[in-house]
Short mmCIF file of all heavy atoms in Angstrom, two decimals:
data_model
loop_
_atom_site.label_atom_id
_atom_site.label_comp_id
_atom_site.label_asym_id
_atom_site.label_seq_id
_atom_site.Cartn_x
_atom_site.Cartn_y
_atom_site.Cartn_z
N GLU X 109 41.50 125.81 170.37
CA GLU X 109 42.00 127.17 170.54
C GLU X 109 41.99 127.94 169.23
O GLU X 109 41.98 129.16 169.23
CB GLU X 109 43.42 127.14 171.12
CG GLU X 109 43.47 126.60 172.53
CD GLU X 109 44.89 126.46 173.03
OE1 GLU X 109 45.82 126.87 172.32
OE2 GLU X 109 45.06 125.92 174.13
N MET X 110 41.98 127.21 168.11
CA MET X 110 41.93 127.89 166.81
C MET X 110 40.56 128.49 166.56
O MET X 110 40.40 129.36 165.72
CB MET X 110 42.26 126.91 165.69
CG MET X 110 43.70 126.54 165.62
SD MET X 110 43.99 125.45 164.24
CE MET X 110 45.75 125.48 164.17
N ARG X 111 39.56 128.06 167.30
CA ARG X 111 38.22 128.64 167.14
C ARG X 111 38.19 130.09 167.56
O ARG X 111 37.29 130.83 167.18
CB ARG X 111 37.19 127.84 167.94
CG ARG X 111 36.95 126.48 167.38
CD ARG X 111 35.87 125.78 168.16
NE ARG X 111 35.72 124.43 167.71
CZ ARG X 111 34.86 124.06 166.78
NH1 ARG X 111 34.08 124.96 166.24
NH2 ARG X 111 34.77 122.81 166.42
N ASP X 112 39.15 130.51 168.35
CA ASP X 112 39.21 131.91 168.76
C ASP X 112 39.46 132.82 167.58
O ASP X 112 39.16 134.01 167.64
CB ASP X 112 40.31 132.10 169.80
CG ASP X 112 39.99 131.37 171.09
OD1 ASP X 112 38.80 131.07 171.32
OD2 ASP X 112 40.94 131.11 171.86
N ALA X 113 40.00 132.29 166.49
CA ALA X 113 40.27 133.11 165.31
C ALA X 113 39.02 133.35 164.48
O ALA X 113 39.00 134.22 163.62
CB ALA X 113 41.33 132.44 164.44
N GLU X 114 37.94 132.59 164.74
CA GLU X 114 36.70 132.78 163.99
C GLU X 114 36.02 134.07 164.44
O GLU X 114 36.07 134.43 165.61
CB GLU X 114 35.76 131.60 164.21
CG GLU X 114 36.30 130.32 163.65
CD GLU X 114 35.40 129.15 163.95
OE1 GLU X 114 34.37 129.33 164.62
OE2 GLU X 114 35.74 128.05 163.52
N PRO X 115 35.35 134.76 163.54
CA PRO X 115 34.67 135.99 163.93
C PRO X 115 33.49 135.68 164.86
O PRO X 115 32.81 134.67 164.71
CB PRO X 115 34.19 136.57 162.59
CG PRO X 115 34.17 135.43 161.66
CD PRO X 115 35.21 134.47 162.12
N ILE X 116 33.30 136.60 165.80
CA ILE X 116 32.21 136.44 166.76
C ILE X 116 30.95 137.05 166.16
O ILE X 116 30.94 138.19 165.73
CB ILE X 116 32.56 137.12 168.09
CG1 ILE X 116 33.80 136.46 168.69
CG2 ILE X 116 31.39 137.07 169.04
CD1 ILE X 116 34.34 137.16 169.91
N VAL X 117 29.89 136.25 166.15
CA VAL X 117 28.62 136.71 165.61
C VAL X 117 27.80 137.29 166.76
O VAL X 117 27.63 136.65 167.81
CB VAL X 117 27.86 135.55 164.93
CG1 VAL X 117 26.52 136.02 164.40
CG2 VAL X 117 28.71 134.96 163.83
N ALA X 118 27.31 138.49 166.57
CA ALA X 118 26.51 139.13 167.61
C ALA X 118 25.20 138.39 167.79
O ALA X 118 24.64 137.85 166.84
CB ALA X 118 26.24 140.58 167.23
N PRO X 119 24.66 138.32 169.03
CA PRO X 119 23.42 137.57 169.28
C PRO X 119 22.22 138.13 168.52
O PRO X 119 21.32 137.38 168.15
CB PRO X 119 23.21 137.72 170.79
CG PRO X 119 24.51 138.14 171.34
CD PRO X 119 25.27 138.81 170.24
N ASN X 120 22.18 139.43 168.26
CA ASN X 120 21.03 139.99 167.54
C ASN X 120 21.02 139.56 166.08
O ASN X 120 19.98 139.57 165.44
CB ASN X 120 20.99 141.49 167.68
CG ASN X 120 22.25 142.14 167.15
OD1 ASN X 120 23.17 141.47 166.73
ND2 ASN X 120 22.28 143.46 167.21
N VAL X 121 22.16 139.17 165.54
CA VAL X 121 22.20 138.68 164.16
C VAL X 121 21.59 137.30 164.09
O VAL X 121 20.93 136.93 163.12
CB VAL X 121 23.66 138.66 163.65
CG1 VAL X 121 23.75 138.02 162.28
CG2 VAL X 121 24.23 140.06 163.63
N LEU X 122 21.75 136.50 165.15
CA LEU X 122 21.23 135.13 165.16
C LEU X 122 19.73 135.06 165.42
O LEU X 122 19.12 134.03 165.22
CB LEU X 122 21.96 134.30 166.23
CG LEU X 122 23.43 134.04 165.97
CD1 LEU X 122 24.04 133.30 167.14
CD2 LEU X 122 23.60 133.24 164.70
#
Side-chain angles (χ1 to χ4, degrees):
E109 293 175 5
M110 286 182 168
R111 291 183 185 267
D112 294 339
E114 294 177 358
I116 298 173
V117 179
N120 58 358
V121 174
L122 293 176

